[in-house]
Amino acid sequence: MATINANFQKLAQNYLFAEVAQRIAAYTQAYPQRRVIRLGIGDVTQALPPVCVAALQAAAAQTGTQAGIRGYGPYEGYEFLREAIVQGDYAPLGVALLPDEIFVSDGCKSDMSNMLDLFAPDNRIGITDPVYPAYVDANVIQNGGLGIQYIPCGAADGFIPQPPTGQPLDIIYLCSPNNPTGVAMTTQQLAAWVRYARENDAVILYDGAYESYITQSELPRSIYQIPGAREVAIEFRSYSKAAGFTGLRCGYSVVPHALRRGGASLNRLFMRRQSARYNGAPYIVQRAAQALYTPDGRAQMQASINAYMANAATIREGLRGAGYTVFGGVNAPYVWLQTPGNIDSWAFFDQLLHTCAVAGTPGVGFGACGQGYLRLTGFGTAEDTQRAVRRMVTQL
Ligand SMILES: *Cc1c(COP(=O)(O)O)cnc(C)c1O
């Protein structure tokens, strides 16, 4: 008899976005004449950069010729893209990487889950609260989530996670700039985690999905800008939020040669893992990603990011001016808003929906420490965002 992985029964119900959608639907049914402005969007809305469309078309046409066919590509991604990443993303930061320290993939959510294959099931796993839910789910599926230790984050520390005292963590998930809180770590804050990882032989899984949204030039863009990080950190990046690739699917992981545990190179282990369980990202998609490293590609990518960040600034400044306590929105498209009078996240969600016809995402859906907060995003249109903020400022 086939028995199933009982860990699936331990997964939290994936109810957050379903519940949000259901409450909006009920409201729309009751008040069909009111259009709900959705500021809970967690996906890009701007068109794909034209350089990517051109690269996709050219690559597709090429593979339609006998001379240009592409079958299975390298497990770790084509050299042309890994070279572009090393030269375009890291060399300007003063971070010297080799192309074979880069693993191109179909995105960073899968990479961060796949990376768990490298580790024994009995590690103590540090996960921040609030958090992007995928890290928790991946650990629960892998081993029931037995090793998870939450790292509580709150307003007192500006929602920046602090290394814990007590029993050391073995694997630590960090995300900066952060989803859902929108805050980004300083060099000093990140260096404290690198020091912690070195002292405890821990490994940091660093989610840099929003790196391209950093506007404050003094902030670190890569964990490898911190001395000593390459012995303790794996960095994950994605073209999803940076360049509108949420539907195309492409990202990469950096596993430095210097990262070794138990006498083994994690780079070699991940290469072996990929060759066993993955056959590489599509050629045409990797060509589209490569196009982003041209001057036109850079400019087009930046234009979309600027549009989202202008919306985030509209939300942040509008609400701050009205007396709200807000986090984020400067180096990430997310604004993390303290509910007025610290009311419950869902109660404020309902109040906002019913009074202003504006929808956000209840902070408690990202973890217990998100209670009393709401996440708003800059992924809407400029007009909608301005209208929503005006309503919040005048009607709530
Ligand atoms: C959107 C997002 C990602 C991106 O995942 P992809 O699989 O590359 O689309 C990763 N981490 C966080 C925190 C995100 O919000």
Side-chain angles (χ1 to χ4, degrees):
M1 189 182 84
T3 53
I4 60 145
N5 178 352
N7 293 328
F8 277 88
Q9 279 138 22
K10 298 182 191 150
L11 283 173
Q13 282 307 312
N14 196 1
Y15 86 107
L16 175 62
F17 293 100
E19 179 68 22
V20 165
Q22 199 258 314
R23 291 192 190 204
I24 295 173
Y27 176 83
T28 305
Q29 197 156 37
Y31 305 97
Q33 76 289 357
R34 297 203 73 180
R35 189 176 67 91
V36 175
I37 299 177
R38 292 167 190 258
L39 291 190
I41 307 169
D43 195 357
V44 295
T45 51
Q46 301 263 326
L48 204 58
V51 292
C52 298
V53 177
L56 283 169
Q57 288 170 330
Q62 179 203 338
T63 57
T65 66
Q66 200 55 44
I69 61 168
R70 286 288 184 287
Y72 290 121
Y75 301 116
E76 71 277 31
Y78 283 97
E79 174 93 23
F80 63 77
L81 181 54
R82 290 182 293 115
E83 192 65 54
I85 290 165
V86 163
Q87 297 305 329
D89 287 343
Y90 289 99
L93 303 178
V95 173
L97 291 173
L98 295 169
D100 67 358
E101 294 177 302
I102 310 291
F103 295 85
V104 175
S105 72
D106 63 349
C108 137
K109 181 174 173 179
S110 23
D111 272 353
M112 295 194 79
S113 162
N114 294 339
M115 205 55 75
L116 293 176
D117 285 352
L118 273 49
F119 299 99
D122 56 353
N123 283 290
R124 294 167 59 86
I125 315 276
I127 294 183
T128 62
D129 177 2
V131 73
Y132 175 64
Y135 317 149
V136 179
D137 286 352
N139 276 279
V140 171
I141 292 173
Q142 194 85 359
N143 68 351
L146 294 174
I148 294 177
Q149 303 281 317
Y150 285 101
I151 305 165
C153 303
D157 289 315
F159 281 94
I160 299 294
Q162 308 295 320
T165 51
Q167 270 223 318
L169 300 169
D170 304 311
I171 294 170
I172 301 139
Y173 286 84
L174 295 178
C175 176
S176 179
N178 192 269
N179 175 13
T181 65
V183 301
M185 288 185 174
T186 63
T187 297
Q188 205 182 13
Q189 289 161 342
L190 194 51
W193 278 106
V194 169
R195 201 177 321 120
Y196 177 89
R198 292 182 68 89
E199 283 165 7
N200 296 291
D201 269 339
V203 173
I204 295 172
L205 304 181
Y206 190 72
D207 185 341
Y210 295 95
E211 169 274 331
S212 51
Y213 286 82
I214 292 176
T215 59
Q216 292 178 298
S217 57
E218 70 275 19
L219 296 180
R221 291 179 161 264
S222 163
I223 195 168
Y224 303 119
Q225 288 172 277
I226 311 294
R230 52 178 89 214
E231 286 87 17
V232 296
I234 297 173
E235 181 161 290
F236 301 85
R237 293 240 188 129
S238 170
Y239 299 102
S240 282
K241 314 301 167 32
F245 274 48
T246 52
L248 269 187
R249 311 304 308 145
C250 197
Y252 62 86
S253 298
V254 182
V255 190
H257 290 304
L259 180 53
R260 305 180 63 86
R261 289 294 180 274
S265 154
L266 270 63
N267 176 290
R268 291 300 86 195
L269 293 187
F270 194 58
M271 184 63 194
R272 188 66 188 88
R273 187 267 170 215
Q274 293 297 74
S275 70
R277 302 183 82 160
Y278 188 57
N279 263 332
Y283 170 72
I284 64 172
V285 173
Q286 293 188 59
R287 283 292 186 199
Q290 179 193 23
L292 293 166
Y293 294 92
T294 59
D296 279 354
R298 285 290 181 209
Q300 290 168 14
M301 196 169 130
Q302 194 59 50
S304 295
I305 290 171
N306 291 350
Y308 299 136
M309 289 308 288
N311 291 338
T314 298
I315 300 171
R316 176 186 164 87
E317 295 314 321
L319 297 182
R320 246 160 53 115
Y324 284 90
T325 301
V326 298
F327 297 87
V330 176
N331 299 292
Y334 299 110
V335 175
W336 185 245
L337 158 70
Q338 193 171 61
T339 64
N342 251 322
I343 63 168
D344 171 80
S345 291
W346 280 108
F348 184 63
F349 172 89
D350 286 335
Q351 191 186 334
L352 188 59
L353 181 61
H354 285 263
T355 313
C356 305
V358 172
T361 309
V364 71
F366 300 100
C369 294
Q371 182 59 277
Y373 288 84
L374 190 88
R375 191 192 72 173
L376 299 175
T377 82
F379 291 124
T381 66
E383 303 73 53
D384 274 358
T385 306
Q386 286 155 12
R387 193 173 300 132
V389 171
R390 209 156 42 234
R391 286 185 198 165
M392 288 179 72
V393 169
T394 57
Q395 297 173 10
L396 273 182

